[in-house]
Amino acid sequence: MSNWKPITKPHLEGIIEIAEFNMSFVERNLWNQIKLNKLEKWTQYPFGEEGNGFWVVAIIGKRCLYYNDIEDGFNLSNFEVWGEIVEYYSNQTDLLSFLQSVFFRGI
């Protein structure tokens, strides 16, 4: 039996707020262009079922940036239908490190 519980929206908003505080002007500008104004919980089968999905925080084209609260990190997945995460990833990357590595280092 696991003691894991899904992250609450206010807790995730706090994580994002800390990351935003530490962003440079360029990072903040990029973040403001891709972030959702309101976090959305999207489904992901089968790993997201226990927590009723994962919180999506940003959209980049046909990809969604979501917080995997099982692994405590941000991940990027394709999506075909709004509200459904296609791929499950288990990165344990914080938001600022994710933005820096994906968008500013070309990884």
Side-chain angles (χ1 to χ4, degrees):
M1 181 112 182
S2 170
N3 289 332
W4 177 83
K5 296 208 184 306
I7 192 168
T8 63
K9 185 177 180 183
H11 186 178
L12 181 55
E13 289 170 334
I15 290 171
I16 294 169
E17 186 176 313
I18 291 168
E20 289 175 337
F21 179 80
N22 290 303
M23 289 177 188
S24 69
F25 175 79
V26 172
E27 293 161 344
R28 174 66 71 101
N29 188 38
L30 169 67
W31 174 243
N32 286 337
Q33 291 177 47
I34 65 171
K35 74 176 182 178
L36 291 176
N37 291 326
K38 180 180 174 191
L39 304 180
E40 295 184 14
K41 200 126 193 213
W42 285 22
T43 61
Q44 196 289 321
Y45 178 80
F47 299 103
E49 288 187 298
E50 185 176 352
N52 294 318
F54 296 109
W55 290 104
V56 171
V57 301
I59 300 295
I60 308 109
K62 289 295 280 179
R63 296 181 292 167
C64 60
L65 178 61
Y66 69 96
Y67 185 74
N68 179 337
D69 51 348
I70 297 170
E71 299 292 336
D72 293 324
F74 289 88
N75 296 270
L76 192 62
S77 170
N78 291 319
F79 71 91
E80 297 168 10
V81 176
W82 190 270
E84 296 178 13
I85 300 168
V86 175
E87 297 110 354
Y88 175 87
Y89 294 104
S90 57
N91 296 325
Q92 298 174 332
T93 308
D94 64 83
L95 180 59
L96 185 53
S97 296
F98 180 88
L99 286 175
Q100 291 169 342
S101 68
V102 172
F103 295 103
F104 295 107
R105 294 189 190 123
I107 296 174

